[in-house]
Amino acid sequence: MFFIDTLEFEGLGNRSYLAGGPSAAVVIDPPRDIDQVIVAAARRGVRIAFVAETHVHNDYVTGGLELARVTGATYLVPAEAQVSLARTPVADGDTVTVDDGLALRAIATPGHTPHHTSYALAEDGRGVAAFTGGSLLIGTVGRPDLVEPRLTEQLARAQHASAHRLVDELDDEVPVLPTHGFGSFCSSSQAEEDATTIGKERVTNDALTLDVDTFVTQILAGLDDVPAYYAHMGPANAAGPAPIDLTPPRRADAEEIAARLAAGEWVVDLRSRMAFAEGHVAGSFNFEGEGKLATYLAWLIPWGKPVTLLADTPEQITDAQRELARVGIDRPAAAATGDQADWIRPGEELASFPRARFAGLAQVRERGADVVVLDVRRNSERADGYIDGSVHIPIHELHGRIGEVPDGVVWVHCAGGMRAAIAASLLDAAGRDVVAVDDGFDAATEAGLPLTRPDATD
């Protein structure tokens, strides 16, 4: 009897899979922190016989090479992937025996990348799962624009063909188990459901219900911004990532924190946005450990810049260190935990700024106060409507464009509050007077704030 265990990584919006039989298993698209994969296999009492990559990943550092080395597994990588590491190349149609009666077959599914490969798992000849990586996702497909701009349309057309190949070759009841689509920016759009099958995708997925020209036009029009750190993930994975190092970082006292800030390094406060607003080290930035820490910190930070982490507890530092290592931010320069008052030198004071809701912004505007409303949502979000008179700088561009924010008190908002908190901390560190709007964007309309809807028709 076969099994499939799902390993979820909410911060990056990805999944990995451990699948096998009574004695042996294969791991699909493993994370860099392989210890949890090894523990999952130990719980099942199985040997990891194969590690399989669907593609050279753009959004995280793989643990595949190291997992194969540690376990002695055969490392399967698409034959056409341009890599310089030891692996067993797999081509379309290649099949390996995972365990007695359990076979894994490679299916070439170019689109997300030119070399992308899906894997069909069969038990005694009956299809039981399709590991589709960044090809066929839940209700969508992987984005085709992460390799080379000149290839984007060609890859979009390949995505359409690959999706059709999967549904033509696999039975309707076969579960579709993608790597991306749960928050990852590798997905063309995000999954609204948690599970799907070949049959369900056949009747709901645009790649399978639209003709190729309509599909390509639609997918190209819907592509969003690409996180800056993606540029570093592919090369790291192609070269062969170094083993992860999760040993605790050195402890920083107030003097060291001040010195690192003075040197232009990043000091990142992982506490909740509420706690940060109430009191924080002047010059530090707020990236909540419970939010999409890896995505947004890796997106905003100048690549290679040393980072010091601040948190309530050592456990929060440990969790953040693991999350950041998944995207190649290795070895924090230092860390500090406990009472934030201990993070500043004698005679210094903690900085703070107010938080508010959209109703508060409406009241301030009604009184005629001259305030700046800064929208840090992505372009695609703003296209659905924005507050009249607001300034737009997407969060991932703000650090380099703070000088463009008009003078005055800045009321900064996003769609829910997390990114507004990041933006508020950047503005506060730059010496601006800021109010962080911690509210859902729907509340702007409820508060009576006039909106402009660019796409609205009469």
Side-chain angles (χ1 to χ4, degrees):
M1 186 66 182
F2 77 95
F3 72 87
I4 299 174
D5 290 340
T6 300
L7 289 77
E8 234 173 312
F9 306 97
E10 293 184 9
L12 292 176
N14 286 327
R15 291 178 177 177
S16 299
Y17 302 93
L18 174 73
S23 60
V26 59
V27 179
I28 309 291
D29 290 342
R32 191 179 186 193
D33 44 329
I34 62 173
D35 55 324
Q36 58 193 307
V37 182
I38 294 172
V39 168
R43 287 198 192 102
R44 287 284 186 178
V46 296
R47 172 179 62 90
I48 296 175
F50 297 94
V51 176
E53 305 280 12
T54 57
H55 60 294
V56 176
H57 301 282
N58 286 291
D59 63 333
Y60 70 93
V61 179
T62 181
L65 180 65
E66 181 66 2
L67 181 60
R69 185 189 70 79
V70 168
T71 63
T74 300
Y75 190 31
L76 307 177
V77 177
E80 294 184 11
Q82 301 298 308
V83 298
S84 55
L85 46 81
R87 90 285 192 195
T88 297
V90 291
D92 185 42
D94 287 351
T95 301
V96 297
T97 299
V98 177
D99 206 338
D100 289 343
L102 199 62
L104 189 75
R105 176 171 63 96
I107 304 174
T109 48
H112 187 48
T113 66
H115 62 267
H116 191 283
T117 300
S118 300
Y119 298 93
L121 186 69
E123 182 182 47
D124 297 329
R126 178 180 64 89
V128 293
F131 301 104
T132 54
S135 183
L136 185 65
L137 310 185
I138 300 178
T140 185
V141 295
R143 59 193 298 170
D145 62 327
L146 300 181
V147 176
E148 156 64 51
R150 290 170 296 182
L151 294 178
T152 297
E153 182 175 345
Q154 174 185 328
L155 289 176
R157 292 181 179 277
Q159 277 290 50
H160 188 271
S162 292
H164 279 265
R165 182 183 179 189
L166 287 170
V167 301
D168 288 345
E169 293 193 11
L170 301 173
D171 294 335
D172 280 355
E173 66 269 17
V174 173
V176 174
L177 303 176
T179 300
H180 304 313
F182 311 96
S184 168
F185 281 86
C186 272
S187 175
S188 295
S189 61
Q190 299 310 315
E192 295 182 0
E193 298 186 37
D194 192 56
T196 192
T197 62
I198 289 291
K200 185 168 185 179
E201 292 307 305
R202 186 191 301 277
V203 297
T204 61
N205 196 304
D206 285 346
L208 299 166
T209 60
L210 299 177
D211 67 83
V212 62
D213 290 332
T214 303
F215 168 76
V216 169
T217 298
Q218 181 174 294
I219 197 172
L220 296 185
L223 293 173
D224 215 331
D225 301 300
V226 178
Y229 71 91
Y230 277 25
H232 306 281
M233 300 297 97
N237 288 325
I244 195 169
D245 180 1
L246 295 178
T247 54
R250 57 174 287 165
R251 289 192 54 145
D253 59 16
E255 287 291 342
E256 181 172 353
I257 292 170
R260 291 190 176 279
L261 282 168
E265 297 182 8
W266 278 37
V267 173
V268 172
D269 192 325
L270 302 169
R271 296 176 303 146
S272 73
R273 54 186 183 260
M274 292 75 76
F276 183 88
E278 289 175 3
H280 56 269
V281 177
S284 63
F285 303 140
N286 182 215
F287 291 80
E288 291 179 299
E290 297 299 317
K292 294 181 74 68
L293 170 66
T295 295
Y296 283 103
L297 179 54
W299 198 340
L300 270 67
I301 193 170
W303 199 251
K305 177 81 73 174
V307 58
T308 294
L309 301 177
L310 309 178
D312 291 317
T313 67
E315 290 75 20
Q316 290 170 333
I317 297 292
T318 298
D319 290 345
Q321 187 177 352
R322 180 181 290 269
E323 184 83 2
L324 293 174
R326 291 173 183 157
V327 294
I329 300 181
D330 292 335
R331 306 301 310 142
T337 58
D339 187 344
Q340 67 266 30
D342 295 332
W343 301 339
I344 57 174
R345 295 173 296 190
E348 294 180 333
E349 294 184 356
L350 293 169
S352 64
F353 54 76
R355 296 165 52 248
R357 298 194 177 277
F358 281 112
L361 174 58
Q363 292 171 2
V364 168
R365 276 189 154 189
E366 286 173 5
R367 293 198 298 266
D370 185 16
V371 298
V372 178
V373 179
L374 176 63
D375 181 351
V376 296
R377 296 174 301 157
R378 297 188 302 277
N379 292 330
S380 59
E381 296 172 286
R382 186 169 171 89
D384 290 333
Y386 56 87
I387 296 172
D388 288 359
S390 60
V391 176
H392 182 224
I393 302 177
I395 182 63
H396 57 276
E397 299 177 9
L398 180 59
H399 186 247
R401 298 177 58 189
I402 284 180
E404 299 177 27
V405 180
D407 293 339
V409 178
V410 183
W411 287 64
V412 59
H413 78 85
C414 59
M418 181 192 73
R419 288 172 292 172
I422 296 172
S425 71
L426 298 176
L427 291 159
D428 177 73
R432 298 298 302 269
D433 290 330
V434 63
V435 178
V437 178
D438 195 351
D439 209 352
F441 190 68
D442 287 346
T445 301
E446 297 169 6
L449 290 165
L451 300 188
T452 296
R453 300 188 185 277
D455 296 331
T457 56
D458 294 334

